[in-house]
Amino acid sequence: MKKLLFILTFVFAVSLSFAQHGRYETDIFGTLLFKSNKDSYSASLEKNVFGDLVFSDSRKNHEKFENKYLGRFMPGILNSKDAQQKFFQELIWQNRNSEGYESFYSIDIFGTIITKDNRGNERESGTDIFGHEFVRDKSKGSTSSIKRNIHGDLEYTEDGNQATLRKDIFDKWSYSDSFGNRVEFSSRTWNRILNRLGSEKEILWYFVDQFFYD
């Protein structure tokens, strides 16, 4: 945790240092503007009429964060210029070496979180009609998803291959997949893995990574 905190602090400090090599302004419409000292880079963060935040810069990068998404993951940012300023600095840092990158962050009417970009990356996550969480990743023609089936088992699928994490009637957990791999856990081993990885979903991801991509 201390190492992570140090890294996050370092990244923010570096991004702030980069951002300070220029000048900030706010125009009459409340749009945040940035221009580097040598005028080689400029960027803006605008709140549109729908309450979305839209970032764009002179390198043709464009990122849009819809109102509903901001309310879920950045509560209060639309009413705080300080929070918007910090977010603006982070976006400048993230995009400073990119060109022509476009991304979109939203939540649809069913509560599904959607993130996608113009490089073929797309992810949907949310809760299905049975109350089970799911994640679907689509990247360059490859599609994967993770969700609970009608039996409550956690399932991962990718391009026709499948992996399942399930608990039997004796409360014993097991992992199995379409490659023929099967791992059964004693109660002691399961508890140790759960304490180490934190959740059933992370355990499934771990074994998928071991067996799908070795």
Side-chain angles (χ1 to χ4, degrees):
M1 179 61 73
K2 290 183 179 179
K3 183 178 180 181
L4 177 60
L5 181 60
F6 171 78
I7 292 172
L8 291 175
T9 302
F10 174 76
V11 169
F12 179 74
V14 173
S15 64
L16 183 59
S17 175
F18 174 85
Q20 285 176 336
H21 287 81
R23 57 187 181 277
Y24 284 98
E25 297 176 355
T26 303
D27 68 14
I28 59 174
F29 302 105
T31 300
L32 295 176
L33 305 172
F34 172 81
K35 184 170 289 188
S36 64
N37 288 336
K38 296 182 180 180
D39 292 341
S40 59
Y41 178 84
S42 61
S44 66
L45 184 66
E46 172 192 8
K47 181 166 72 172
N48 65 21
V49 294
F50 302 105
D52 311 325
L53 287 181
V54 181
F55 171 88
S56 59
D57 66 16
S58 55
R59 293 176 184 163
K60 298 182 180 179
N61 297 305
H62 185 88
E63 299 199 59
K64 182 178 180 180
F65 303 83
E66 286 197 342
N67 183 305
K68 201 170 181 180
Y69 181 93
L70 294 169
R72 172 80 174 273
F73 294 102
M74 305 177 197
I77 190 171
L78 293 173
N79 298 316
S80 172
K81 277 298 179 183
D82 287 340
Q84 291 176 35
Q85 183 75 30
K86 291 178 182 178
F87 187 44
F88 189 28
Q89 291 173 349
E90 292 173 5
L91 290 171
I92 290 171
W93 169 253
Q94 292 169 11
N95 287 280
R96 73 199 189 287
N97 293 323
S98 299
E99 187 169 352
Y101 179 71
E102 298 179 8
S103 63
F104 182 75
Y105 304 81
S106 66
I107 298 179
D108 69 14
I109 59 174
F110 302 105
T112 300
I113 302 162
I114 302 170
T115 62
K116 56 184 178 181
D117 64 22
N118 63 340
R119 297 178 180 174
N121 301 304
E122 183 175 349
R123 167 175 283 196
E124 297 179 355
S125 60
T127 305
D128 63 22
I129 59 175
F130 301 104
H132 300 144
E133 293 182 359
F134 68 87
V135 177
R136 289 191 292 266
D137 279 304
K138 302 176 183 179
S139 180
K140 299 178 181 178
S142 178
T143 302
S144 64
S145 68
I146 182 168
K147 63 180 181 179
R148 291 194 182 276
N149 62 25
I150 59 175
H151 305 294
D153 304 327
L154 199 57
E155 289 184 342
Y156 174 83
T157 58
E158 180 181 336
D159 298 336
N161 296 310
Q162 186 179 67
T164 305
L165 190 68
R166 61 166 55 91
K167 182 170 65 171
D168 65 20
I169 59 175
F170 303 106
D171 289 339
K172 287 191 175 182
W173 288 87
S174 65
Y175 165 91
S176 60
D177 61 36
S178 53
F179 297 107
N181 299 300
R182 181 176 176 82
V183 180
E184 295 184 347
F185 309 97
S186 67
S187 297
R188 182 178 179 181
T189 299
W190 172 258
N191 289 331
R192 289 178 64 183
I193 296 175
L194 186 61
N195 288 334
R196 176 184 169 191
L197 297 179
S199 69
E200 297 168 20
K201 188 180 295 184
E202 291 300 324
I203 293 173
L204 182 57
W205 279 122
Y206 173 80
F207 282 98
V208 164
D209 185 59
Q210 297 297 311
F211 294 124
F212 276 54
Y213 312 112
D214 58 1

